Amino acid sequence: MKINSKDRAKAQWDAADVPLLEVSDLKTWFEVKRGIFSRKAEQIRAVDGVTFSLMANETIGLVGESGCGKTTLGRTLLGLEAASGGSVFFRGEPLLTLSHRRMKAMRRRLQVVFQDPLSSLNPRMNVMDIVTEGLLQFRMLTDSREVHAKRLLREVGLDEEMIYRFPHEFSGGQRQRINVARAISLRPDLIICDEAVSALDVSIQAQVINLLLSLQQRHHLSYLFISHDLSVVSNIADRIAVMYLGRIVEIGKTIDIIEKPLHPYTRMLIAAIPVAGQKRVDQEMVTGETPSPAAPPNGCHFHPRCPEAMPVCRHAEPPEAWKNGHYVCCHMYRPNSG
Ligand SMILES: Nc1ncnc2c1ncn2[C@@H]1O[C@H](COP(=O)(O)OP(=O)(O)OP(=O)(O)O)[C@@H](O)[C@H]1O
Ligand SMILES: [Mg+2]
């Protein structure tokens, strides 16, 4: 097989053992007025100091309850929200300060699949136009649009004869496959999947996850897989990052997070996973509501809901502890204890 110069550049990057994506102390704050007549604005700290890195060919699952900032984090990485602070390096380039022209070129390598498969597809465009639009825009058509579209549909497990159909003629699962075809069309390095399977039936969810896994192998992709559902995430992620009120409170290998969770919040999320045919005895652990990101509690943000809160948690920021690549931010663990 002939290797073109772009593939060679990518292979060199992968060999470098440097993270594909490096996020440091990223903040995205929104300023909102309290009421129509109010002059005072309040800061919604949707993303409030997030740090993590993602390697080539790796999947990080990002989990947390509704409103904790997952989508805002994804949108900030895509340049759809302005960051309020911190840095993001993608393929070694500072994403937040790139020129408009350079950012446009980078966006080819950074794709997204959203939750609602229908609303993210233009109803007036047929599938061929949808999946080849980016190729046209980036001047990457090496053959007719028809040939490219048929290849992309085959890649996502759809019948190539469907290229002239319109989005409304497909089922939810098929539409999400079309979204995936569009996302891979530009040969990206990273796809951000924001609740990409959440609207689908469980059996269809599994099929789309299997598709994402096989495309990852074939195209050497990385995923940031965002979901509120820890059990779904555990089926696809190499590592899991747990987010609470704008911050990552724990990151580790999927097996460690599921079997040996350290943070009380992660334990709470795991306790909430329904187990078929079993009545959970620890269900009462899932208590309280997430506080507003406009007025996060002092000390550890999680302390008002934490069953293991100590007096120190109310006023002091929790320390960061690392052990064997497992990160946790909680007063129960000594900083850098391993
Ligand atoms: N454009 C905006 N202006 C003001 N506040 C916003 C904006 N976008 C998001 N927020 C707020 O930021 C916080 C995080 O929202 P975000 O959508 O990122 O959460 P999420 O974790 O994706 O939630 P979900 O699981 O429901 O999708 C929420 O309090 C939300 O109301
Ligand atoms: Mg969201």
Side-chain angles (χ1 to χ4, degrees), residues 155 284 334:
E155 284 225 48
E284 71 272 12
R334 276 195 295 131

Side-chain angles (χ1 to χ4, degrees), residues 244-266:
Y244 187 77
L245 217 60
R247 294 178 177 174
I248 288 178
V249 296
E250 183 166 2
I251 302 185
K253 287 194 201 117
T254 298
I255 188 156
D256 291 341
I257 294 287
I258 300 295
E259 292 184 2
K260 288 177 272 175
L262 297 176
H263 200 286
Y265 178 58
T266 312

